[in-house]
Amino acid sequence: MKLTYRGFFFFGLLASVLTGCSATGQEMLQDTPARYTVQPDAPSPDHSGMWLLPQVDGALYEQMTEMGLNLPPEELYNDQIDNSSLNHAVLRINVGEGGGGTGSFVSGEGLILTNHHVAYDGIAGVSGTEQNYLQTGFYAENYRDELPLTNYSLYIPIEQTEVTGQIESAIPKNAGNRLRAEIKATVSSEIIEARRDGNEDLMVEINDFWSGNRQFMSVYKIIRDVRLVYAPEQAIGKFGGDIDNWMWPRHTGDYAFLRAYVSEDGVSAPYQPGNVPYTPERHLKVNERALSPGDFTMTLGFPGSTYRFESSPAFSFYQDQQFPVLYSAFKAYLNGLEMQAANNPETAASNAAERASIANALKYYEGLIEGFQDYDVVSRKIAEDQEFVRWAESDSLRKSEFGRVMPQLEQAYQIARQSGDVLYLTFYSLQFSNLLQMGSLFNDFYEYSQAPDSVFYSSDERQQLYDQVRTWQAAIDMEAELLMLTEMLQAMAELPEERRPLILYRFFGSPESETLKQEIQKFITRQASGSVLTDTTIAASWIFSELQFSDEAFTDSLYLVSRDIFETFELSRENYSQHFQYLQPAQKRYAEGMIQMTGAPSVYADANFTLRLSAGQIMGYVPADGVYYTPFTTYSGMLAKHTGDSPFDVPEQLQYFSDSELTADSSMYLNFLSTNDITGGNSGSPVLDGNGELIGLAFDGNIEGIVSDYYVVPDAARTISVDIRYILFVMRHIHQTERLLLEMEAG
């Protein structure tokens, strides 16, 4: 259900712990027919391409016009101050520090259309036990009733400019990697400060593209006051729930409306009652025309991350070590969150957004695991890399430039494999488990207990430690925490014997994975009520006792588990980090060589949460032998799913419309499929027709196409969007949002 970048925020946390490298470039958009005739057995055209807007010119622009684009290039993107273009109508929605999604202006008064799940955190935040807007929906009858959302900010893209030349000209040709990085950082900061020129309303970023081979500067206008205007009830906005997540057919009204506010003099400011609606440079016009298979579709949005042109050693590492442990970690965390929700209604409301986000990530990794297997992705990538080696070796100059690239990449991932799965699993165990985090509170005191010459703990320090522990224990659901920890340890038991954390050998004897998992369950059950991490009285007895200094002074097993996991994480991080010194220069050269080998006049870069355009067509697909999915779902299809129980409970007021009340052709379309190339971060991306008018709202991809974040499978990858006609139907006939319809000129 989610294409928000936040869905994969926790993976980004690990990236912030380590030094990573960016991904590489892609093929040019292939030739495609102007219109698609419904032939289910015919191969799908390859419409992959997440294009920077300045790239859409020349041959690429001509190909898009053949597909159905009717706008001149300057209407797509124009960085001249006095000229507005479509980029001014689209905005990046940031939710806290964890990424976010996309929205678009649909009126001259700062009204924003985005996904219900992009607004989900905000809706949950303004809800309470007495008024749960997730369940009931929300509609503000006037400006005064619109609710300010905490942790939401907007970034309106006004410029994308290449600055590679400015940076490269400052770097000596013989500079080593460290010196290059230092000079690059300095010059980038200078460019950013010069562009901002003291303007606090601007945010300027310089991002690497094509694994650091080129750099582009993105300039945004910041909006700091964001308010909830209208959201349907969860039975519409999240119809199908986690069961239908990433699936087709879908019948979800995944939309919500926000509004941007600024101070009276037009300056970006945090929420104040006196702020006024923002007037955008450009807003989108709604088009309610009937859609057909083959119609041109265009998306604008902020895709988060793709990894398509990374190497076969990287893909093999992902398949064997990264995906399986991430799936195990997210599954353990979700099970704990679900138990918390089941145990406490207030917790169920407060962690609803987190549960939805983690469930989305879990299904994503499940889809990746299956996709890599179903499409034999690693073998395909090995074949591509073999072609790359042959290309490099066929020319003496290329061989000198690229001949060592694949051996260096293989060496890098050989090092990564030594500790990568342990690192990911211990990191996420520490990130997700409050019990393990609480264990870190005792670390200094544990060191004191082992050494009589260490710094003495005063009464005040002991009291402070006790107060911290008591506060933590009072705030957490211990039953859920113990379940989560049990499953995390059981996931560690599935690692190869030589890479299991030492804690599994300290307390458990059996090397067999299944037997070991049973022993872990019994161990946690025994420790549940007898540890400083679970019992405040036991914690106090140790914190305030006169310690006997020896190795046996503190033998609390559950604490020792937390300590060992942290030490294992630190050691594996140190070992894993060694591979970057081989990976980063080789990855950059690999990207450069791959771009040269394609010979394409224009190449798009992997996603990095910057503004991108994708072009596609409305099209169904064949998910399995003998099965064809049509590209539209209907009102009657939604009613057929209705059970009366969540998540398939169609609201009563939506159940009793006759055909004549729906549309002129007696058919109400709800969701549709297209071949647009999107990923996490594109949630809420406007789907536009060839004239740049709004016909839908992207909210998901299909489970078969998830693998395209790594390896594009044109026959499988589809974007799932809400038809704008369904959104307007609900607004008119269910929620009577007349003022918004008039504001959008759709009344």
Side-chain angles (χ1 to χ4, degrees):
M1 185 193 68
K2 288 194 174 184
L3 281 166
T4 52
Y5 195 34
R6 185 181 183 277
F8 310 102
F9 170 51
F10 294 103
F11 180 72
L13 283 175
L14 183 56
S16 69
V17 175
L18 304 168
T19 304
C21 66
S22 59
T24 61
Q26 324 296 335
E27 299 276 351
M28 185 176 178
L29 187 71
Q30 296 183 3
D31 290 334
T32 55
R35 286 290 181 268
Y36 169 71
T37 303
V38 180
Q39 296 176 329
D41 57 342
S44 298
D46 185 354
H47 289 155
S48 60
M50 299 180 181
W51 301 95
L52 294 164
L53 269 65
Q55 290 185 285
V56 185
D57 61 4
L60 174 61
Y61 173 75
E62 292 301 322
Q63 289 175 7
M64 290 186 183
T65 59
E66 290 175 7
M67 292 173 64
L69 177 63
N70 298 321
L71 298 174
E74 60 270 17
E75 278 289 290
L76 298 175
Y77 171 74
N78 195 321
D79 60 3
Q80 300 301 309
I81 296 176
D82 296 331
N83 295 300
S84 68
S85 47
L86 280 179
N87 59 290
H88 295 108
V90 183
L91 52 130
R92 194 172 86 186
I93 301 175
N94 276 36
V95 184
E97 300 298 323
T102 301
S104 56
F105 289 115
V106 290
S107 85
E109 289 79 46
L111 187 65
I112 298 162
L113 177 61
T114 188
N115 285 152
H116 184 272
H117 73 257
V118 173
Y120 199 90
D121 281 21
I123 300 169
V126 296
S127 298
T129 54
E130 295 184 2
Q131 187 63 63
N132 187 339
Y133 294 125
L134 290 172
Q135 295 295 330
T136 65
F138 173 81
Y139 174 54
E141 294 283 355
N142 50 58
Y143 290 140
R144 294 188 305 275
D145 294 336
E146 295 174 357
L147 301 176
L149 302 181
T150 58
N151 292 324
Y152 275 69
S153 54
L154 310 175
Y155 294 82
I156 305 167
I158 59 178
E159 184 180 340
Q160 283 184 326
T161 305
E162 184 165 10
V163 293
T164 309
Q166 291 175 258
I167 294 173
E168 289 296 323
S169 64
I171 302 175
K173 290 187 177 180
N174 60 350
N177 290 333
R178 178 172 295 182
L179 180 59
R180 283 188 61 86
E182 291 174 354
I183 296 174
K184 179 181 172 183
T186 299
V187 175
S188 296
S189 295
E190 292 171 353
I191 295 172
I192 289 171
E193 289 306 311
R195 179 62 183 86
R196 287 187 72 235
D197 194 25
N199 187 342
E200 296 297 326
D201 282 1
L202 292 185
M203 196 271 281
V204 183
E205 297 176 335
I206 292 180
N207 303 106
D208 277 331
F209 293 79
W210 299 281
S211 291
N213 283 284
R214 294 167 68 181
Q215 291 76 39
F216 277 74
M217 175 178 67
S218 295
V219 184
Y220 304 89
K221 179 178 178 61
I222 307 172
I223 301 292
R224 299 180 174 89
D225 183 355
V226 186
R227 305 188 194 180
L228 178 65
V229 178
Y230 161 53
E233 56 268 57
Q234 197 161 245
I236 293 175
K238 199 181 175 183
F239 183 81
D242 294 333
I243 297 172
D244 271 3
N245 189 15
W246 300 100
M247 306 305 290
W248 185 262
R250 295 289 287 281
H251 305 82
T252 309
D254 194 349
Y255 72 91
F257 287 86
L258 311 176
R259 195 183 303 277
Y261 279 78
V262 292
S263 66
E264 289 186 350
D265 56 1
V267 175
S268 177
Y271 169 75
Q272 300 174 28
N275 284 352
V276 297
Y278 170 70
T279 302
E281 297 288 331
R282 179 89 170 238
H283 68 273
L284 300 177
K285 179 182 177 181
V286 170
N287 190 325
E288 297 185 67
R289 70 176 179 84
L291 304 177
S292 302
D295 282 356
F296 174 80
T297 51
M298 175 172 63
T299 65
L300 290 169
F302 297 86
S305 296
T306 55
Y307 314 89
R308 292 172 182 172
F309 269 40
E310 291 196 3
S311 64
S312 55
F315 279 27
S316 179
F317 172 76
Y318 297 148
Q319 177 178 257
D320 297 341
Q321 291 203 338
Q322 187 187 91
F323 298 159
V325 297
L326 289 177
Y327 177 81
S328 296
F330 279 69
K331 186 173 186 294
Y333 186 40
L334 181 61
N335 288 342
L337 292 174
E338 294 285 5
M339 180 173 283
Q340 291 174 14
N343 289 345
N344 189 316
E346 290 188 7
T347 302
S350 64
N351 77 0
E354 185 77 346
R355 282 185 285 124
S357 177
I358 297 302
N360 179 66
L362 181 63
K363 201 160 188 178
Y364 174 80
Y365 286 115
E366 182 180 19
L368 283 179
I369 291 168
E370 293 178 358
F372 263 61
Q373 294 172 347
D374 292 345
Y375 299 108
D376 201 11
V377 168
V378 172
S379 294
R380 293 188 184 197
K381 196 62 185 176
I382 288 173
E384 288 186 2
D385 284 350
Q386 289 172 341
E387 176 63 26
F388 174 76
V389 171
R390 287 192 291 269
W391 171 82
E393 291 182 346
S394 66
D395 179 90
S396 59
L397 181 59
R398 290 202 297 260
K399 185 173 182 179
S400 67
E401 286 187 281
F402 304 111
R404 287 288 303 158
V405 167
M406 287 309 302
Q408 285 181 318
L409 288 169
E410 289 166 358
Q411 182 178 13
Y413 281 102
Q414 284 176 1
I415 296 171
R417 280 177 170 273
Q418 295 173 12
S419 57
D421 48 5
V422 182
L423 173 66
Y424 284 105
L425 198 45
T426 54
F427 173 80
Y428 283 108
S429 296
L430 292 165
Q431 180 64 38
F432 293 153
S433 172
N434 284 298
L435 274 179
L436 296 180
Q437 292 172 28
M438 194 188 340
S440 67
L441 298 176
F442 288 97
N443 284 345
D444 289 341
F445 201 62
Y446 175 80
E447 296 296 338
Y448 167 66
S449 77
Q450 304 301 299
D453 58 348
S454 60
V455 177
F456 180 75
Y457 259 70
S458 68
S459 297
D460 287 344
E461 288 171 322
R462 292 173 189 251
Q463 185 64 49
Q464 183 180 23
L465 173 58
Y466 174 70
D467 290 342
Q468 288 178 302
V469 172
R470 183 176 58 180
T471 300
W472 274 63
Q473 291 183 351
I476 64 177
D477 183 324
M478 193 61 68
E479 182 186 13
E481 289 292 333
L482 290 167
L483 170 67
M484 197 184 309
L485 180 58
T486 299
E487 295 192 8
M488 290 289 188
L489 290 173
Q490 288 176 335
M492 293 177 195
E494 295 179 353
L495 294 172
E497 244 185 281
E498 68 276 10
R499 292 203 298 276
R500 292 175 189 165
L502 292 177
I503 195 67
L504 298 185
Y505 296 96
R506 180 185 299 202
F507 291 109
F508 312 105
S510 175
E512 295 298 327
S513 173
E514 289 306 313
T515 306
L516 182 54
K517 289 164 70 174
Q518 293 173 14
E519 291 186 18
I520 289 169
Q521 175 68 64
K522 295 175 182 177
F523 169 79
I524 295 297
T525 301
R526 289 196 305 270
Q527 298 297 318
S529 59
S531 170
V532 295
L533 302 187
T534 61
D535 191 305
T536 307
T537 302
I538 294 174
S541 68
W542 184 60
I543 293 171
F544 296 109
S545 68
E546 291 299 325
L547 300 172
Q548 299 296 317
F549 296 109
S550 73
D551 289 341
E552 307 300 325
F554 183 44
T555 57
D556 186 294
S557 297
L558 207 55
Y559 165 72
L560 293 176
V561 166
S562 74
R563 184 177 179 84
D564 191 84
I565 290 175
F566 181 79
E567 290 176 350
T568 301
F569 164 69
E570 289 291 342
L571 180 62
S572 59
R573 178 175 65 170
E574 182 179 348
N575 293 336
Y576 182 83
S577 297
Q578 300 304 311
H579 88 284
F580 287 117
Q581 62 182 306
Y582 302 97
L583 175 61
Q584 290 171 329
Q587 178 66 30
K588 181 179 179 182
R589 187 57 59 91
Y590 177 79
E592 180 185 359
M594 278 292 187
I595 293 170
Q596 287 188 28
M597 188 176 74
T598 65
S602 185
V603 177
Y604 70 94
D606 265 310
N608 59 0
F609 212 31
T610 55
L611 180 61
R612 306 296 181 92
L613 179 150
S614 78
Q617 293 171 305
I618 294 177
M619 191 178 299
Y621 72 106
V622 177
D625 184 39
V627 179
Y628 172 66
Y629 282 158
T630 61
F632 297 101
T633 56
T634 64
Y635 172 79
S636 59
M638 177 182 65
L639 291 184
K641 279 187 176 179
H642 173 64
T643 65
D645 297 319
S646 179
F648 297 106
D649 52 338
V650 178
E652 185 174 0
Q653 65 270 35
L654 190 55
Q655 294 179 28
Y656 303 112
F657 287 90
S658 65
D659 287 342
S660 61
E661 290 176 294
L662 296 177
T663 61
D665 62 0
S666 299
S667 179
M668 168 61 71
Y669 292 124
L670 273 61
N671 297 161
F672 64 86
L673 296 170
S674 67
T675 59
N676 293 89
D677 191 5
I678 66 173
T679 189
N682 275 113
S683 282
S685 287
V687 182
L688 310 176
D689 64 11
N691 298 318
E693 296 178 347
L694 186 66
I695 58 173
L697 190 65
F699 71 93
D700 207 353
N702 59 329
I703 192 75
E704 299 88 354
I706 286 175
V707 69
S708 289
D709 276 359
Y710 291 78
Y711 194 93
V712 176
V713 184
D715 284 338
R718 293 293 184 269
T719 290
I720 304 175
S721 302
V722 191
D723 195 311
I724 194 65
R725 291 171 292 174
Y726 179 48
I727 295 174
L728 296 176
F729 179 84
V730 175
M731 293 176 71
R732 288 169 180 147
H733 298 285
I734 307 302
H735 298 136
Q736 290 81 47
T737 62
E738 285 84 1
R739 79 169 182 116
L740 300 185
L741 292 165
L742 290 172
E743 187 177 334
M744 297 166 61
E745 300 179 358

